[in-house]
Amino acid sequence: MNALVTSGLDFNDASEMPNPRRHDLEALRRSLRDHAEAVLHYLFPNGKRDGHRFLVGDVSGQPGKSLVVELEGDRRGLWIDFATGESGDLIDLWSAVHGYVTDQNFGALLDEIAAWLVLPGPRPEPVVTAKPDIDTLGAPAAKWDYLSTDGKLLACVYRYDTPDGKEYRPWNPAARNRSMPNPRPLYHLPEIAQASTVVLVEGEKCADALQVLGIATTTAMGGAAAPFEKTDWSPLTGKTVILWPDHDEVGQRYADALVFKLFSIGVKALRRIAIPAGKPAKWDSADAVSDGTDISGLLATATPVIKLLSSKLNDWHAIDRFTGKPQQRQWLVDGIFPLAQPSLIAAGGGVGKSFLLLSLAREVAVYDGTWLNAPSLFGGALASHGIAIYITAEDDAIEIHNRLNALGAIPPGLYVVPLPDAGGAIPLFAPDSATKAPATTPAWTDLERQFVAMANVKLLVLDPLQPLCALDLNVPENAQFVCSRLAALAATTGASVIVSHHFAKREVWTPEQAREAIRGTGGLVDGVRSVYALWPAREDDAKNILKSQHLPYQRGAVVQGGVVKANGRANLKVATFIRDARGLLCDRTAELQRLKSSTADLLPLLKQAIANAVIEGKPYIKTGVNGVYGRRFEMPEALHNIGKHTFVMMVDTLLATGEIVQAMADNSKSVKWLDVPEGKVAKGDPDFRVGHIRRGKGSQGAALEAKNE
């Protein structure tokens, strides 16, 4: 029993009481039921929806679950407080909350409810006329009021559920007929006026579903069927608008057309909801609220819509539009990986890209931002520092822990997620279950939401892409879709988003071959800002490089890499990596370049030492006992610490350029002395004494005898 009966007032019988204001009590009850959730959020800001029920602590609005209100079915609007036993309908509940407990203020209660519902005020008894044709549809199932920014009623829309489907009828209070105003107002104008960001959906039900969550939401009268020219869109001028179309072909076409209309009225920015994968056809914002979708996360990751030529060409006169100093491109690694853009790194299996990417993430997190301390990575200098996130679909926690331990201290700004230990790799991109078109999954939506919420994120690595994508990346449309989502995330956060990918099984020795070897080349390479590739060095090159570092040859120890595709300025030099004892590819490009440069600087000194040795009657040979390396301590000190193989390479360089020659003496057929072209040995000068050469018995070689004269 309704506990309020004890006060002498039972609102369930109120229809039999005198009603001098002539309010239609049943119409009020019906309107309250139609707007039940909005009414309850107004009465109880601390309450919440739980399935088909609304829960709050008590009639005073305290948090809790004792007071339960039904939101669906025949019992919609009925409530009970299990703690006190009180119960009733929404008029009873409004009365209890606002203190209407006597029949003397019953009229005031109805006035207050009618004002909140923005229903027409009391009027004299209407003149009875013939029943309008609308009555043949029966009682409306729902009613929505369109208000001006100051709260005046501009129009109403009624929905009727008929055997043939839903039907909608407008009401124009100014004209007192069933027509739409001209121009048609947008829904929820009072809320739009106060908001900087507005969600634009299809239909009043969808708008109300988000509005009760505190999200400014609107729709055009008539939804997707409304002609653009008959709606007043001006309240959206200067605002950020998020398009949320229904999940069907009509909805998508409607949103496509709205893009141009909204840009034409001067919205500040435009974004568009990406429907999560797996949602059924016609899925909309009301369905999202009902099925528990993360609304705030979905809105936060809405894709920015770029304004192309939706404005007039005159607005883009280059001499007027692009003035002042242009903004410079910002980099994660200078000339290699840009910020606010997606990049791709590709290599064959077993090259070592995963460990290298983990090292990059750690360096981004540990770097202090001082350019003097910037490490060299991928052939460029690290240019940004902040939070770095590395997500691996293949390596487990044990492998990650060992690699991090090998890299050094773990910085606080580094986040590493080994998916094998975090529930397994879940696709971020997959075909839509209904349309089979490429789509994002809830896992991607959740990742976007968390990533956007983090401050100062500079790097996100997804390694590798394939286990995280249930799309065939050899299909250009699929690859382009994935790249578009990566680009949107990078642009929204300003971070560098890097995904790794594999080569097809083919020989790769050059940057050009590397680009062609990337799987799904057409869509992936074209869809990202920068593509970096890694490939093993040729065996001969690898041996020479390792020799210059006094390291033994090991297959796969030397890897080369470089940018194989870039939009705009980029570092196109090929970098050289040498695998260290940890298995990490270390960038040795600068070191090898310095060695090459220093060796070149020493060539004139070596040439002079060879010439002087001939003048002194003690010429060198290339290798052996009298070789340049064996007698290097007779030369200037700058040549003492050069390695044997480097010495030989320097001699080969001088020989190749004609700076020195190999010459015979004393008719020897086996000994080739080094000399400058104008030297005595080279010219066969008779003053070069043959006694300087002493041959040993049976020896095929030669030894130099010191001249004692």
Side-chain angles (χ1 to χ4, degrees):
M1 174 181 287
N2 188 343
L4 297 179
V5 174
T6 58
S7 66
L9 178 63
D10 184 355
F11 289 153
N12 290 313
D13 298 327
S15 59
E16 300 175 3
M17 298 175 62
N19 184 6
R21 294 173 173 79
R22 305 191 194 286
H23 283 293
D24 185 340
L25 191 60
E26 287 306 313
L28 284 179
R29 282 200 178 101
R30 184 167 59 249
S31 187
L32 285 173
R33 287 197 302 270
D34 291 341
H35 298 83
E37 191 165 354
V39 170
L40 293 168
H41 279 288
Y42 164 72
L43 295 176
F44 305 113
N46 292 324
K48 62 180 180 180
R49 179 167 183 153
D50 183 11
H52 60 85
R53 304 180 303 170
F54 185 93
L55 307 179
V56 71
D58 53 33
V59 293
S60 68
Q62 295 299 314
K65 301 180 180 180
S66 295
L67 196 156
V68 178
V69 188
E70 292 293 331
L71 295 175
E72 297 176 4
D74 295 335
R75 295 181 56 80
R76 181 177 55 174
L78 299 181
W79 61 277
I80 183 171
D81 188 338
F82 290 98
T84 65
E86 293 178 322
S87 64
D89 63 10
L90 290 175
I91 293 181
D92 298 324
L93 192 56
W94 193 297
S95 173
V97 171
H98 289 170
Y100 292 99
V101 294
T102 66
D103 56 358
Q104 284 78 14
N105 53 18
F106 177 59
L109 167 65
L110 301 185
D111 286 343
E112 181 176 298
I113 294 174
W116 188 88
L117 292 168
V118 199
L119 296 176
R123 296 186 180 87
E125 290 289 347
V127 177
V128 178
T129 59
K131 285 187 177 182
D133 57 357
I134 197 170
D135 287 352
T136 62
L137 299 177
K143 171 180 174 288
W144 297 282
D145 297 326
Y146 282 69
L147 309 178
S148 66
T149 54
D150 57 1
K152 295 180 180 179
L153 185 66
L154 299 177
C156 302
V157 173
Y158 295 85
R159 191 192 82 197
Y160 297 85
D161 295 336
T162 73
D164 297 325
K166 298 176 183 177
E167 291 197 28
Y168 296 87
R169 297 287 188 272
W171 174 257
N172 186 337
R176 302 298 298 164
N177 60 29
R178 300 179 189 91
S179 65
M180 293 186 181
N182 186 21
R184 302 175 186 179
L186 291 173
Y187 194 41
H188 289 156
L189 284 176
E191 292 77 13
I192 293 175
Q194 304 300 318
S196 59
T197 299
V198 179
V199 181
L200 179 56
V201 298
E202 293 182 45
E204 295 85 2
K205 177 183 176 182
C206 292
D208 285 345
L210 297 182
Q211 191 78 27
V212 297
L213 301 179
I215 300 168
T217 313
T218 191
T219 186
M221 187 178 293
F228 291 154
E229 66 276 6
K230 293 187 177 182
T231 298
D232 179 11
W233 301 97
S234 62
L236 299 178
T237 299
K239 299 183 184 296
T240 295
V241 178
I242 302 176
L243 291 174
W244 190 328
D246 289 357
H247 187 29
D248 54 25
E249 186 177 351
V250 173
Q252 298 305 314
R253 286 201 305 266
Y254 177 60
D256 291 341
L258 267 177
V259 166
F260 297 97
K261 182 62 182 179
L262 294 174
F263 274 135
S264 71
I265 61 135
V267 295
K268 179 180 180 181
L270 188 59
R271 297 164 63 195
R272 185 168 177 169
I273 290 292
I275 305 297
K279 297 302 182 183
K282 299 187 178 299
W283 185 83
D284 56 27
S285 58
D287 296 321
V289 173
S290 298
D291 66 22
T293 296
D294 180 5
I295 304 297
S296 60
L298 195 58
L299 293 176
T301 57
T303 306
V305 179
I306 299 174
K307 182 178 181 180
L308 297 174
L309 292 178
S310 54
S311 60
K312 297 179 181 178
L313 282 174
N314 287 337
D315 296 338
W316 293 93
H317 191 199
I319 197 171
D320 300 322
R321 192 76 178 190
F322 304 104
T323 60
K325 189 176 181 180
Q327 183 178 355
Q328 298 300 309
R329 170 69 59 191
Q330 301 298 308
W331 298 91
L332 179 77
V333 177
D334 189 43
I336 307 295
F337 299 124
L339 289 175
Q341 294 283 346
S343 298
L344 177 73
I345 180 169
V351 168
K353 63 181 180 299
S354 295
F355 200 179
L356 190 58
L357 284 170
L358 178 61
S359 175
L360 170 64
R362 179 186 176 277
E363 292 290 351
V364 171
V366 79
Y367 177 42
D368 62 7
T370 305
W371 69 269
L372 287 172
N373 299 331
S376 178
L377 299 158
F378 295 91
L382 187 62
S384 296
H385 63 103
I387 290 177
I389 301 171
Y390 174 82
I391 299 176
T392 172
E394 295 182 344
D395 295 320
D396 61 14
I398 295 176
E399 182 66 23
I400 291 298
H401 198 171
N402 277 283
R403 289 182 176 181
L404 288 174
N405 187 62
L407 291 173
I410 301 176
L414 177 65
Y415 295 80
V416 182
V417 184
L419 291 178
D421 296 273
I426 301 175
L428 305 176
F429 311 99
D432 182 84
S433 59
T435 66
K436 307 304 179 184
T440 57
T441 69
W444 171 259
T445 301
D446 188 50
L447 173 63
E448 279 187 314
R449 177 183 58 79
Q450 296 184 62
F451 191 64
V452 170
M454 299 181 76
N456 196 35
V457 181
K458 295 298 181 183
L459 174 64
L460 170 65
V461 176
L462 300 176
D463 177 41
L465 175 61
Q466 193 60 59
L468 302 174
C469 183
L471 300 171
D472 182 359
L473 293 173
N474 292 306
V475 177
E477 291 78 8
N478 292 341
Q480 287 286 353
F481 174 81
V482 171
C483 290
S484 71
R485 299 308 303 156
L486 297 174
L489 181 59
T492 301
T493 61
S496 182
V497 177
I498 301 177
V499 296
S500 72
H501 199 47
H502 297 301
F503 279 166
K505 293 182 178 180
R506 64 175 68 175
E507 186 178 78
V508 173
W509 303 116
T510 67
E512 293 74 22
Q513 291 174 339
R515 174 170 175 154
E516 294 301 320
I518 300 172
R519 292 178 179 170
T521 297
L524 288 175
V525 172
D526 293 341
V528 296
R529 179 85 185 187
S530 175
V531 179
Y532 195 93
L534 294 165
W535 61 91
R538 292 178 183 271
E539 185 175 347
D540 290 345
D541 293 337
K543 288 180 178 178
N544 288 332
I545 290 170
L546 292 172
K547 284 179 182 179
S548 72
Q549 300 294 300
H550 309 293
L551 295 172
Y553 172 73
Q554 289 184 331
R555 187 170 62 87
V558 181
V559 171
Q560 294 183 312
V563 175
V564 299
K565 181 260 183 176
N567 294 343
R569 180 179 76 85
N571 181 352
L572 299 178
K573 294 181 179 179
V574 174
T576 301
F577 303 84
I578 298 178
R579 200 180 310 276
D580 66 8
R582 299 169 297 177
L584 176 65
L585 293 176
C586 298
D587 185 356
R588 295 287 183 253
T589 308
E591 181 180 336
L592 292 169
Q593 184 62 42
R594 285 194 298 270
L595 178 60
K596 183 178 180 181
S597 299
S598 62
T599 299
D601 294 339
L602 292 174
L603 286 176
L605 196 61
L606 177 60
K607 174 184 175 181
Q608 189 60 52
I610 290 172
N612 291 341
V614 172
I615 293 172
E616 294 173 2
K618 303 176 181 179
Y620 300 108
I621 60 175
K622 186 175 179 181
T623 59
V625 177
N626 287 308
V628 287
Y629 180 74
R631 292 169 55 194
R632 65 189 183 282
F633 294 107
E634 300 174 6
M635 301 180 183
E637 185 176 354
L639 299 170
H640 291 183
N641 294 322
I642 296 179
K644 180 178 180 181
H645 299 292
T646 303
F647 248 115
V648 174
M649 290 172 63
M650 291 172 66
V651 171
D652 286 338
T653 300
L654 291 172
L655 288 169
T657 58
E659 296 290 312
I660 64 173
V661 295
Q662 288 181 297
M664 301 290 186
D666 193 24
N667 298 317
S668 169
K669 299 300 182 182
S670 60
V671 179
K672 295 181 180 180
W673 304 99
L674 298 177
D675 195 2
V676 293
E678 63 275 16
K680 291 184 178 182
V681 175
K683 289 183 176 181
D685 193 322
D687 290 338
F688 186 81
R689 299 182 59 180
V690 297
H692 295 166
I693 301 173
R694 183 181 66 194
R695 300 187 184 285
K697 183 178 180 180
S699 173
Q700 297 298 319
L704 186 69
E705 178 181 54
K707 187 164 65 173
N708 296 320
E709 301 177 3

